[in-house]
Amino acid sequence: MGFHFRKSFKIGKLFKFNKNKKGGSISVDGPSIGGKKLKFTVNNKKKATVSLQGTGISYDTDLGGKKKKNEKK
């Protein structure tokens, strides 16, 4: 817990850029399904999220490549 700060900038009607201390994300509003908007988000942690706003339903996936293993010499 602690104090957090986030700044959001709207870029046109579809794009939103969120900036905080640790990085940022870009969100794109998608089509409506049953009156609920789909939202696509990509952040600096190489993660993408698709969510159906107002329902609590979302799907996350990693965008990064293979994780490096520590090699012993």
Side-chain angles (χ1 to χ4, degrees):
M1 296 290 248
F3 182 72
H4 300 279
F5 176 77
R6 184 185 78 183
K7 182 67 179 171
S8 296
F9 302 95
K10 283 283 256 187
I11 304 168
K13 292 184 178 182
L14 297 177
F15 298 96
K16 185 176 182 182
F17 177 74
N18 297 304
K19 176 75 177 128
N20 63 25
K21 175 172 115 175
K22 294 183 180 181
S25 68
I26 295 177
S27 298
V28 180
D29 284 337
S32 293
I33 296 176
K36 303 290 183 182
K37 278 284 214 183
L38 270 179
K39 182 180 261 188
F40 304 93
T41 304
V42 177
N43 66 20
N44 64 320
K45 296 177 185 175
K46 296 182 181 178
K47 184 174 112 175
T49 304
V50 178
S51 60
L52 196 54
Q53 293 179 329
T55 64
I57 299 170
S58 65
Y59 176 78
D60 295 333
T61 186
D62 289 327
L63 298 175
K66 295 179 182 177
K67 293 183 180 179
K68 295 180 181 179
K69 294 181 180 179
N70 292 334
E71 294 181 19
K72 293 184 180 180
K73 293 183 179 180

